[in-house]
Amino acid sequence: MLKELQYYSINDFIKKVIPKEIRFKKKLNIPNSISEYQYLNHINKISKKNKIYRSYIGLGYKNTITPSVIQRNILENPSWYTPYTPYQSEISQGRLEALINFQTMISDITAMKISNASMLDESTAAADAMFMIYQEKIKKKQINNNYCFFISDEIFPQTFSVLKTRCFGLGIPIIKDNHKNLLKKKYNGEKIFGLIISYPSCLGEIYDYSDIIEYAKRKNISVIVSTDILSLSLLKPPGEWGADVVIGSSQSFGIPMGYGGPHAAFFATHEKYKRFLPGRIIGISVDKKNKKAFRMALQTREQHIKREKATSNICTSQVFPAIMASMYAVYHGKEGLIEIAKSIHKFSKKLEFLLINNINNISQVNSFYFDTIRIKTNSIKKLKEFSEIKKTNFRYVNKNYLTITLDETTCKKDIDHILSIFYEVYKNEKRKKFNNKKKINEKYKFPNSLKRTSNFLENEVFHKFHSENEIMRYIKRLEKKDLSLNHSMIPLGSCTMKLNAATELLFLSQYEWRNIHPFCPNKQAKGYHFIIRNLKKYLKEITGFSGVSLQPNSGAQGEYTGLMVIKYYHYSLKEFQRNIALIPTSSHGTNPASANMAGMKIILISTKNDGSIDIKDLLQKVKKYKDFLSVLMITYPSTHGVYEENIKEIIDIIHKNGGQVYMDGANMNAQVGLIKPAHFGVDICHLNLHKTFAIPHGGGGPGMGPICVSSHLKPFLPDHPFLLEKKENKKNQLTISSSPYGSPLILPISYAYIRLLGPDGLKKCTEISVLNANYIKEKLKKFYNILYVGKNDTVAHELIIDCRIFKSLEIDVLDIAKRMMDYGYHAPTISFPIEGCMMIEPTESESKKELDRFIETLINIRKEIQEIQDGKYSQKENVLKNAPHSIELLTNNDWKYSYSREKAAYPLYWVRSRKFWPSVNRINDGYGDRNLICTCN
């Protein structure tokens, strides 16, 4: 490959590609690489540091049972965990169907009209719900900036903290109080646009909110309900009593706690909010032969396309956990969910009955509940001490109250264990004489008016697959419809679809990592803290920064977090006016969306013809906004695929004018071991662990987007109400995610990636990823126009090919993308960052043979375009316009095309042995979003 590029060594090549001024010359100070065998022994040893206590803490996290058939066939299956977001619908039909099952499940259970295909976590779902109703009312001019948001004091503490952060960034005043005070005319003078309540509450109480709903409707206040999805199997769903938005977590549907995530949150609402709805929506369309097919609805709402007009900064959703949760519902069905919920409620009533009827001096104060009882006691200290000895966690609300939340795994043995703790603590006090004849009330411990009477999960998919044989086959049928990394290279630019090594992922099924509550005492999670501590250390060394937060659980959330850190920093200097974000058009598309979410004003900076930042335009904008400049957001290398030669000069301009420089870490795969962003002046950056550091994309999530900061920004790193670490010089209360460390269950993947590679391996990965991109550029330049190149005619780790020149033949970039499916490839990123172009990123994982097959594919497609240009095939009817070709189409007797079936199906000799058949023909993207159905029904 070097010979093809006319270089003698990789070092010589890298010197020509990366500007000398920013190249890092030393070896990374991280441990040397170890073998896979050594690593597996190492991670197993670390796992023993985690101590699995029986947790009844609740607060949105519960023990659950992952059906083995789902664990084996989805969680541990690369066909499910290695695909990317389903932008190419024809080769994503399996996970699209699973996601529409998820949407149907959520809509049915909550009794709402529309649901999205998952959110990052419950707290961010609440924040996005608040922002959605705020935007909708602002747009309709029903409210102004003086309106407040009301937060019930019985929502989860972590949700309140995330809401508080979001409201601060957007300048929205908040009121936190008991919901009952709304009815006492306490806030009659306040202008309130929305409120959030919890059902059941964070203390376990189930309230009848009918009076609150009536009041809210009368005052035009939108109502958000945070709910427990499993409880709605028994409880009257919020959609039936007036909720405008229903949010929550699907974690209890078979997803391990994993010390806090990843877990798919849900978001359900009314049709009128469809255009404002954050996240992604899956709809039912048709292909060109009128066969039913699934695709992403309202796809142009994707934030990287809308940029500064985006209404949400959700980029990485939680597709993989959402698929698992949907399969949990498919496997159990309505009757199964009801039985699970009844069992939990029955054990909760039994525990209350035995405690209250056996022990004096305690009481259960929740009038109505589902799975959580609240005990009033004067022995909190003793209970805490003895429960720790008995390896049991309760939630200690204050010095007088504790709560106990039961779950799907609770059995009689657990009830006896809990009772033994209380009996031990109260053994020296007078206990009640238990009446064996007294029986537990068989009625539900909530009012009949709140009992669910409506049906749910009536679609046939929730009735057909209740045996292991049937669900296994259903999962396999869907799996075969999706193209993933275990079939071929996925060359998506800016997405870094690299190898997710099996050794990095084996721990996911290990008991010691799966079953730890995120709010348990630190000493129970020493294994996690070992990983967290060392991963932070490695990331600081790789980037050159002095502080790290692992809390953001997506790249877009990392961007938002970085901007909020900068905002707090300016506030600490009393520079409240600094609210301008300068964003070059060469930056990642999510940057403007994140700036919008942080309440900043966006000013775009133009780029020159070579793809670099226009310094002249930058200087003009800096001069104009000098006193209001907050941040410059850059992507390095740029999204145009080149290393900016003048990056230090650009950064110096911003610093001299009082601003901070934020670097998007989407392209960190072109830096590790060769460049340290802190060394050339960047103040803060986020890292995509699901890109550069090998966490699988899972079909569109989970992800992790930790931020790294310079020393002056360390005091402003995210905090959390349940973060038990000591904080130095803490100057803010910034909270971003439901759990203190985002999605900790997947952090060991990135830790494994670094330990397995070591400093030399990490550097080599970067070198090879850049080499691979330049090799592709060199081989394709005779056939396609390479849009941007840097100094010495090189690109970074990705390149853009211009497909706009084929417009005169009525061939566009989408036609090329669809034709690539017939060759067994997922298309590169299309129409981003430049409309009508393709952005290719090969990563370091692919062999030369695979690169050559990919190159041959694009060259052959170029020849097929030439055939159209030469008049051999018409512009309206040709192999590109009809692509992809399904097996159903190829075997149809009614073949009317001017080209052969062989040309359609096997365009190159090697395709036969590795053929991937799209399960549908080209999907009708012009079918119209208004007509899309977003549930199975």
Side-chain angles (χ1 to χ4, degrees):
M1 290 167 70
L2 285 166
K3 185 178 179 181
E4 187 81 31
L5 296 168
Q6 298 182 356
Y7 288 99
Y8 294 104
S9 71
I10 194 74
N11 288 334
D12 183 39
F13 166 69
I14 291 297
K15 285 177 183 178
K16 295 292 184 182
V17 177
I18 300 178
K20 179 181 178 181
E21 297 77 14
I22 64 170
R23 255 193 340 264
F24 178 64
K25 311 292 193 303
K26 297 179 182 178
K27 185 175 179 178
L28 288 173
N29 184 24
I30 61 175
N32 289 328
S33 64
I34 56 177
S35 71
E36 292 191 353
Y37 176 74
Q38 288 171 320
Y39 177 76
L40 290 173
N41 287 329
H42 172 67
I43 196 69
N44 186 57
K45 186 176 179 181
I46 295 170
S47 73
K48 305 308 177 188
K49 296 176 182 286
N50 291 327
K51 305 301 178 188
I52 308 299
Y53 284 29
R54 197 68 171 87
S55 284
Y56 304 99
I57 298 170
L59 289 172
Y61 299 93
K62 304 175 186 178
N63 294 293
T64 185
I65 298 169
T66 306
S68 299
V69 66
I70 294 175
Q71 177 174 320
R72 184 71 166 169
N73 293 288
I74 296 181
L75 178 64
E76 298 172 355
N77 186 346
S79 291
W80 286 99
Y81 65 68
T82 65
Y84 193 60
T85 305
Y87 293 132
Q88 297 297 331
S89 304
E90 293 85 352
I91 50 176
S92 307
Q93 288 296 295
R95 92 194 82 118
L96 285 168
E97 182 172 334
L99 288 174
I100 210 161
N101 291 346
F102 178 83
Q103 290 176 182
T104 305
M105 170 187 89
I106 298 302
S107 294
D108 277 9
I109 294 176
T110 60
M112 301 298 285
K113 289 292 183 183
I114 190 169
S115 165
N116 67 15
S118 80
M119 301 287 284
L120 294 176
D121 60 31
E122 182 168 353
S123 299
T124 50
D128 274 313
M130 178 275 300
F131 189 46
M132 184 187 77
I133 61 175
Y134 178 74
Q135 281 187 309
E136 193 257 354
K137 289 178 185 290
I138 286 284
K139 186 174 182 180
K140 291 183 177 179
K141 298 182 179 179
Q142 295 175 346
I143 63 171
N144 56 41
N145 294 334
N146 296 322
Y147 275 70
C148 302
F149 184 66
F150 186 95
I151 304 174
S152 164
D153 61 0
E154 289 192 45
I155 68 167
F156 294 139
Q158 66 270 25
T159 299
F160 169 71
S161 294
V162 171
L163 279 165
K164 185 179 176 184
T165 296
R166 183 72 65 88
C167 287
F168 168 77
L170 297 167
I172 297 173
I174 60 173
I175 300 168
K176 184 184 181 185
D177 199 354
N178 191 280
H179 65 273
K180 295 174 184 176
N181 286 330
L182 275 173
L183 303 177
K184 296 177 181 177
K185 300 183 178 180
K186 183 177 177 181
Y187 297 106
N188 263 11
E190 301 286 345
K191 294 179 178 180
I192 299 171
F193 72 87
L195 64 88
I196 183 168
I197 49 182
S198 196
Y199 176 77
S201 81
C202 73
L203 297 171
E205 185 75 54
I206 295 173
Y207 294 105
D208 183 339
Y209 288 113
S210 54
D211 289 346
I212 296 295
I213 297 297
E214 184 185 343
Y215 173 85
K217 299 305 178 189
R218 196 166 65 246
K219 298 285 187 178
N220 193 29
I221 299 171
S222 298
V223 179
I224 302 166
V225 179
S226 172
T227 192
D228 177 329
I229 189 171
L230 190 55
S231 73
L232 299 186
S233 301
L234 304 180
L235 289 170
K236 187 176 182 178
E240 292 179 8
W241 46 260
D244 292 288
V245 188
V246 184
I247 61 100
S249 172
S250 62
Q251 184 264 316
S252 60
F253 277 27
I255 316 299
M257 286 189 291
Y259 203 43
H263 305 133
F266 60 83
F267 190 114
T269 188
H270 299 304
E271 284 276 352
K272 72 172 184 176
Y273 290 113
K274 184 164 69 174
R275 299 280 161 178
F276 295 90
L277 187 64
R280 293 173 176 135
I281 310 171
I282 310 305
I284 302 175
S285 184
V286 292
D287 71 6
K288 67 182 299 177
K289 293 296 183 180
N290 215 35
K291 179 182 177 182
K292 184 177 85 169
F294 305 102
R295 70 173 175 89
M296 286 175 62
L298 306 167
Q299 192 159 320
T300 53
R301 302 170 331 117
E302 286 289 289
Q303 55 151 347
H304 65 273
I305 297 171
K306 293 195 74 174
R307 297 179 71 87
E308 66 272 15
K309 295 178 182 178
T311 55
S312 167
N313 83 328
I314 296 300
C315 183
T316 311
S317 52
Q318 299 285 17
V319 169
F320 194 55
I323 287 170
M324 290 180 65
S326 76
M327 288 299 178
Y328 181 94
V330 168
Y331 189 40
H332 288 295
K334 179 182 76 172
E335 290 77 15
L337 295 181
I338 289 172
E339 284 306 308
I340 292 168
K342 280 182 176 179
S343 174
I344 295 169
H345 189 57
K346 181 179 177 181
F347 277 121
S348 300
K349 290 195 300 175
K350 182 176 183 179
L351 179 60
E352 177 196 20
F353 176 81
L354 293 173
L355 281 173
I356 302 310
N357 285 284
N358 274 286
I359 302 174
N360 288 313
N361 304 321
I362 68 169
S363 59
Q364 199 287 119
V365 298
N366 281 342
S367 301
F368 305 111
Y369 60 79
F370 164 61
D371 61 3
T372 301
I373 62 174
R374 182 168 29 147
I375 303 297
K376 184 177 183 180
T377 173
N378 57 3
S379 299
I380 288 288
K381 187 177 179 181
K382 289 181 181 178
L383 282 165
K384 198 170 185 179
E385 289 172 355
F386 194 70
S387 64
E388 190 173 323
I389 294 170
K390 299 283 276 186
K391 296 185 177 181
T392 305
N393 297 321
F394 302 128
R395 181 195 173 196
Y396 302 97
V397 181
N398 53 38
K399 63 181 181 180
N400 297 118
Y401 292 93
L402 65 83
T403 62
I404 304 173
T405 300
L406 304 185
D407 55 59
E408 178 187 10
T409 67
T410 302
C411 60
K412 182 180 180 300
K413 184 179 178 182
D414 297 309
I415 300 299
D416 293 341
H417 179 77
I418 294 169
L419 290 171
S420 71
I421 294 170
F422 278 84
Y423 291 164
E424 180 65 25
V425 169
Y426 284 92
K427 65 182 178 183
N428 296 324
E429 298 181 33
K430 187 176 181 180
R431 298 221 319 252
K432 294 178 182 178
K433 187 175 180 181
F434 183 63
N435 183 356
N436 288 320
K437 295 181 180 180
K438 196 170 183 179
K439 293 185 178 179
I440 302 172
N441 193 325
E442 292 298 317
K443 292 183 179 179
Y444 289 130
K445 196 68 187 246
F446 45 83
N448 280 333
S449 60
L450 293 181
K451 182 182 176 182
R452 180 159 200 151
T453 56
S454 58
N455 280 329
F456 61 99
L457 302 188
E458 287 298 293
N459 189 273
E460 65 173 352
V461 74
F462 299 105
H463 290 269
K464 291 169 65 176
F465 308 112
H466 296 166
S467 73
E468 180 167 332
N469 237 4
E470 290 300 327
I471 191 74
M472 178 178 65
R473 289 167 181 164
Y474 179 58
I475 291 170
K476 190 66 178 178
R477 284 200 296 275
L478 297 191
E479 173 194 324
K480 289 167 68 176
K481 295 179 181 181
D482 279 17
L483 188 143
S484 57
L485 273 175
N486 63 356
H487 183 273
S488 61
M489 168 186 176
I490 300 181
L492 286 156
S494 196
C495 302
T496 317
M497 297 295 292
K498 65 171 64 181
L499 170 71
N500 312 121
T503 294
E504 296 164 1
L505 296 163
L506 283 179
F507 80 96
L508 281 169
S509 298
Q510 199 170 350
Y511 179 77
E512 289 85 354
W513 298 105
R514 291 159 55 90
N515 297 293
I516 296 185
H517 195 286
F519 306 149
C520 73
N522 278 354
K523 64 182 181 181
Q524 294 174 26
K526 286 184 178 180
Y528 268 110
H529 284 277
F530 177 92
I531 297 291
I532 288 165
R533 185 170 60 252
N534 282 283
L535 186 55
K536 282 183 175 182
K537 184 169 70 174
Y538 301 156
L539 296 180
K540 283 191 281 187
E541 171 61 17
I542 287 166
T543 60
F545 289 106
S546 61
V548 175
S549 170
L550 298 174
Q551 195 172 125
N553 57 10
S554 85
Q557 203 180 37
E559 294 171 17
Y560 168 72
T561 308
L563 295 176
M564 291 302 293
V565 165
I566 289 170
K567 196 162 194 168
Y568 272 106
Y569 168 72
H570 286 310
Y571 271 53
S572 74
L573 301 176
K574 310 298 182 188
E575 295 180 334
F576 306 111
Q577 81 286 357
R578 292 194 177 274
N579 204 38
I580 295 287
L582 300 180
I583 305 179
T585 55
S586 61
S587 291
H588 199 277
T590 56
N591 292 174
S594 297
N596 185 36
M597 298 299 289
M600 291 184 172
K601 183 179 179 182
I602 299 157
I603 304 295
L604 297 179
I605 306 297
S606 61
T607 50
K608 296 189 292 186
N609 291 336
D610 64 358
S612 63
I613 294 171
D614 187 336
I615 295 183
K616 185 178 178 181
D617 187 46
L618 176 69
L619 285 167
Q620 289 176 348
K621 302 285 175 61
V622 168
K623 183 178 179 181
K624 183 177 180 180
Y625 299 107
K626 176 181 178 180
D627 295 334
F628 303 94
L629 175 59
S630 174
V631 61
L632 170 71
M633 300 184 77
I634 59 168
T635 303
Y636 201 82
S638 74
T639 306
H640 291 163
V642 294
Y643 290 99
E644 192 81 44
E645 290 286 332
N646 299 315
I647 189 64
K648 294 185 85 170
E649 179 188 352
I650 290 166
I651 290 171
D652 193 45
I653 291 169
I654 301 302
H655 285 161
K656 283 180 178 177
N657 288 278
Q660 296 287 287
V661 177
Y662 162 88
M663 190 196 84
D664 186 299
N667 293 343
M668 196 68 194
N669 214 48
Q671 291 195 49
V672 177
L674 299 175
I675 301 171
K676 290 190 176 187
H679 288 188
F680 59 86
V682 172
D683 299 291
I684 186 168
C685 79
H686 90 266
L687 303 171
N688 294 88
L689 299 189
H690 53 286
K691 293 183 181 182
T692 307
F693 296 94
I695 292 174
H697 286 72
M704 281 290 282
I707 60 170
C708 305
V709 302
S710 297
S711 57
H712 65 286
L713 296 177
K714 279 177 69 176
F716 308 96
L717 284 171
D719 205 347
H720 194 279
F722 292 99
L723 192 62
L724 302 177
E725 296 175 344
K726 292 181 180 179
K727 290 291 171 187
E728 298 176 9
N729 304 318
K730 207 64 196 160
K731 295 183 180 178
N732 76 301
Q733 295 178 336
L734 172 65
T735 305
I736 299 300
S737 301
S738 288
S739 85
Y741 303 103
S743 297
L745 181 59
I746 57 177
L747 290 177
I749 301 171
S750 296
Y751 173 80
Y753 176 80
I754 294 170
R755 288 306 317 270
L756 288 167
L757 287 167
D760 296 328
L762 289 171
K763 179 185 176 185
K764 186 177 181 181
C765 281
T766 306
E767 291 170 342
I768 299 302
S769 70
V770 176
L771 176 63
N772 285 353
N774 279 275
Y775 177 71
I776 291 174
K777 176 193 76 71
E778 191 67 22
K779 300 290 276 187
L780 289 181
K781 68 181 184 182
K782 295 177 185 176
F783 304 92
Y784 295 90
N785 177 36
I786 310 302
L787 200 57
Y788 301 113
V789 292
K791 194 175 178 181
N792 299 313
D793 193 35
T794 58
V795 295
H797 67 313
E798 58 192 6
L799 65 145
I800 298 173
I801 61 173
D802 193 349
C803 302
R804 295 171 294 186
I805 59 173
F806 308 126
K807 278 285 186 181
S808 61
L809 303 173
E810 297 191 27
I811 296 295
D812 61 27
V813 69
L814 190 63
D815 297 319
I816 298 172
K818 301 305 182 188
R819 180 56 173 155
M820 290 184 74
M821 297 177 195
D822 289 328
Y823 291 76
Y825 280 107
H826 192 294
T829 302
I830 64 171
S831 295
F832 172 81
I834 307 296
E835 183 70 28
C837 297
M838 276 188 171
M839 183 162 61
I840 302 166
E841 182 182 357
T843 81
E844 73 278 6
S845 303
E846 302 300 338
S847 67
K848 183 176 179 296
K849 286 185 178 180
E850 183 70 359
L851 295 179
D852 287 337
R853 279 190 290 265
F854 172 75
I855 291 164
E856 191 178 2
T857 294
L858 281 175
I859 291 173
N860 209 56
I861 289 174
R862 180 63 185 90
K863 290 176 181 177
E864 291 172 343
I865 295 172
Q866 187 64 43
E867 289 174 337
I868 300 167
Q869 191 170 357
D870 294 342
K872 188 174 182 180
Y873 301 103
S874 77
Q875 294 182 10
K876 297 287 186 183
E877 187 66 44
N878 56 67
V879 74
L880 279 87
K881 284 294 182 185
N882 293 322
H885 299 80
S886 69
I887 196 165
E888 184 179 356
L889 181 66
L890 267 293
T891 55
N892 195 313
N893 290 329
D894 188 25
W895 182 264
K896 297 179 179 179
Y897 303 122
S898 57
Y899 51 89
S900 69
R901 298 174 202 253
E902 183 176 26
K903 182 180 180 67
Y906 305 121
L908 290 168
Y909 70 95
W910 47 260
V911 175
R912 288 180 181 275
S913 62
R914 41 190 286 141
K915 181 66 180 176
F916 180 89
W917 290 103
S919 59
V920 295
N921 302 295
R922 186 178 300 206
I923 293 175
N924 189 351
D925 288 325
Y927 187 68
D929 286 315
R930 292 174 184 273
N931 299 319
L932 282 174
I933 301 168
C934 299
T935 65
C936 306
N937 298 317

